[in-house]
Amino acid sequence: LKIAQKRISLLNIYIRNRLNINPDYKNPQLAERLARASGFSMDQAHSMIRALNRIQKQQDPLSANELISLNKIIDTFYKNTQR
């Protein structure tokens, strides 16, 4: 869980500093803003936000598959914003 929290924290810093977007995952317009800034589709942005919200609320340790899934989502997001 600590690894996941650290990855999410670094992603939030990236979104805030690089994309100039407040990473407030409760904001309904966040997915649209992330999609425009990153090249993600709206579905991808919504999916990422749902995954991040779920992990941030989770108290139990993440399984290896959940951690791999989170890593893939974040890496894909970074790659899309680099284009």
Side-chain angles (χ1 to χ4, degrees), residues 47-60:
S47 178
M48 182 176 82
I49 291 169
R50 278 193 303 272
L52 295 173
N53 278 331
R54 182 176 36 80
I55 290 168
Q56 287 179 323
K57 291 176 185 174
Q58 189 168 333
Q59 298 296 320
D60 299 327

Side-chain angles (χ1 to χ4, degrees), residues 64-75:
N65 286 339
E66 289 173 315
L67 194 55
I68 290 168
S69 177
L70 172 67
N71 202 45
K72 285 180 183 178
I73 291 168
I74 291 174
D75 285 347

Side-chain angles (χ1 to χ4, degrees), residues 22-56:
N22 179 14
D24 175 8
Y25 296 108
K26 294 177 183 162
N27 182 342
Q29 285 128 15
L30 179 61
E32 181 182 337
R33 290 180 182 166
L34 289 176
R36 263 186 298 173
S38 70
F40 253 26
S41 70
M42 284 292 287
D43 286 340
Q44 287 173 306
H46 279 293
S47 178
M48 182 176 82
I49 291 169
R50 278 193 303 272
L52 295 173
N53 278 331
R54 182 176 36 80
I55 290 168
Q56 287 179 323

